[in-house]
Amino acid sequence: MGSSLFWYENWTGLGALYFLINPDFAIDGSINNVCEVVVEDSWDVDKLLQILPEEYVVHIVEKIKPSTTQDALDKPFWRLESRGNFTVSSAWNYLRRRQDQRNAFNKMWVKGMPFKISFFLWKVWKALGWIKVNTDGASRGNPGRSSIGFVLRNEEGNVVYARGKEIPETTNNEAEAWAILEGLSYCVNQQYIQILIQTDSMLLKNVLDEVWIAPWNVTEIVEEINKLRHRCTVTFTHILREGNRLVDYLANYALDFGNIEAAGFTDLDTHGKKIVNNEKMQCPYLRVKPKRN
């Protein structure tokens, strides 16, 4: 369907283009997926020549058949696995955590136990619980005016905290890395120790999982993230942009109107609340990856 990441996945058979081309060659951050350089089931050669060295364009045109989406079916995407494939283990682990949560409540709120003790146990349990953080960075110009957004949700999917703020001018990748760093820093300061971070940057996800080597311009930020992650349990996963709408909105809001902060769902503006409500109307763990035209 042409949904492979243009710069970061090995769709050419040569390796990720981001690491293949000369570092002096400017990366066009506006191109995200392979389908964006396909017109009417043929390669857009003029666009390819604008964004890639000629030798790679020749290889693509001669060796790779462009994808077609005319008769492609929507693909189910299992959100508990970063690859989107259903696994029994991921479903079991989630159900087990939910059962552990119910057992914890039954043991904390016992008739006859002093309220102060129950409340103390609840605070400790809350600190040990999982928190999910979605992050996103924006750069208009790449480099240009930049911002970040991050949102914390509890295991029920409710918004706990949200923030969008402008940062110094930088690139897309640096903004994405800053968003992860800021979101993780907030969690550590709030004493969360089990953190799931979701980013729509495949580059950062693979860098933080030590699958890829960090590009030079995000090395220092990645080092700061790694210092913080050793203070808690952190899991990094990749999420499609369709599942990251709220943080994308917050990051762009910061550039258009100024910084924004919310201590929960009720503090979000009207559009932010609409995004959250639309997400909750959909199945929270299984969603459909839309077909591209």
Side-chain angles (χ1 to χ4, degrees), residues 131 133-135 148-152 161 163 165 176-193 195-197 208 220-234 236:
I131 197 78
V133 188
N134 287 78
T135 66
I148 64 167
F150 65 90
V151 175
L152 277 66
Y161 180 79
R163 188 174 189 188
K165 75 171 188 176
E176 295 279 4
W178 272 114
I180 295 173
L181 177 60
E182 291 266 351
L184 181 57
S185 297
Y186 181 86
C187 289
V188 171
N189 290 335
Q190 296 298 311
Q191 299 182 334
Y192 291 108
I193 61 173
I195 305 163
L196 171 65
I197 295 183
L208 292 167
E220 292 185 4
I221 308 175
V222 169
E223 288 177 355
E224 293 299 317
I225 294 172
N226 286 330
K227 289 178 184 177
L228 286 174
R229 70 190 296 185
H230 294 308
R231 297 169 57 181
C232 46
T233 300
V234 185
F236 297 98

Side-chain angles (χ1 to χ4, degrees), residues 107-283:
K107 292 177 180 179
M108 282 186 290
W109 304 105
V110 178
K111 184 177 181 180
M113 181 179 290
F115 174 78
K116 288 184 178 180
I117 296 177
S118 295
F119 184 73
F120 172 76
L121 291 173
W122 175 77
K123 292 287 286 186
V124 172
W125 173 85
K126 181 181 177 184
L128 294 175
W130 280 92
I131 197 78
K132 182 166 77 75
V133 188
N134 287 78
T135 66
D136 194 25
S139 176
R140 295 180 181 175
N142 196 30
R145 285 188 63 209
S146 302
S147 62
I148 64 167
F150 65 90
V151 175
L152 277 66
R153 290 182 174 88
N154 59 23
E155 288 198 10
E156 287 73 40
N158 297 321
V159 174
V160 175
Y161 180 79
R163 188 174 189 188
K165 75 171 188 176
E166 187 167 1
I167 60 174
E169 290 190 2
T170 187
T171 64
N172 284 332
N173 289 334
E174 290 173 286
E176 295 279 4
W178 272 114
I180 295 173
L181 177 60
E182 291 266 351
L184 181 57
S185 297
Y186 181 86
C187 289
V188 171
N189 290 335
Q190 296 298 311
Q191 299 182 334
Y192 291 108
I193 61 173
Q194 297 191 88
I195 305 163
L196 171 65
I197 295 183
Q198 292 190 323
T199 172
D200 58 15
S201 170
M202 182 66 76
L203 168 67
L204 267 300
K205 193 270 183 188
N206 284 331
V207 165
L208 292 167
D209 283 346
E210 299 182 341
V211 177
W212 293 349
I213 298 174
W216 66 269
N217 59 340
V218 299
T219 300
E220 292 185 4
I221 308 175
V222 169
E223 288 177 355
E224 293 299 317
I225 294 172
N226 286 330
K227 289 178 184 177
L228 286 174
R229 70 190 296 185
H230 294 308
R231 297 169 57 181
C232 46
T233 300
V234 185
T235 300
F236 297 98
T237 65
H238 178 256
I239 187 171
L240 298 179
R241 285 177 296 170
E242 292 86 349
N244 229 22
R245 289 193 179 98
L246 182 56
V247 282
D248 176 74
Y249 169 68
L250 294 173
N252 282 286
Y253 184 100
L255 292 177
D256 293 330
F257 306 107
N259 295 348
I260 184 172
E261 189 174 18
F265 175 80
T266 56
D267 285 348
L268 292 170
D269 66 359
T270 302
H271 189 70
K273 291 177 180 176
K274 182 178 179 180
I275 293 174
V276 174
N277 288 332
N278 286 340
E279 289 176 345
K280 288 195 171 185
M281 288 175 64
Q282 301 171 4
C283 180

Side-chain angles (χ1 to χ4, degrees), residues 36-82:
E36 295 174 39
V37 291
V38 177
V39 177
E40 296 181 352
D41 301 333
S42 298
W43 293 114
D44 188 339
V45 177
D46 291 337
K47 181 176 286 187
L48 286 172
L49 288 171
Q50 291 174 8
I51 60 177
L52 288 175
E54 184 176 353
E55 60 267 28
Y56 294 108
V57 177
V58 172
H59 171 81
I60 291 169
V61 173
E62 292 183 351
K63 303 292 185 181
I64 303 171
K65 181 180 178 180
S67 59
T68 176
T69 62
Q70 289 180 355
D71 299 318
L73 297 175
D74 289 341
K75 179 182 177 182
F77 191 90
W78 181 252
R79 294 184 66 183
L80 295 180
E81 285 286 343
S82 59

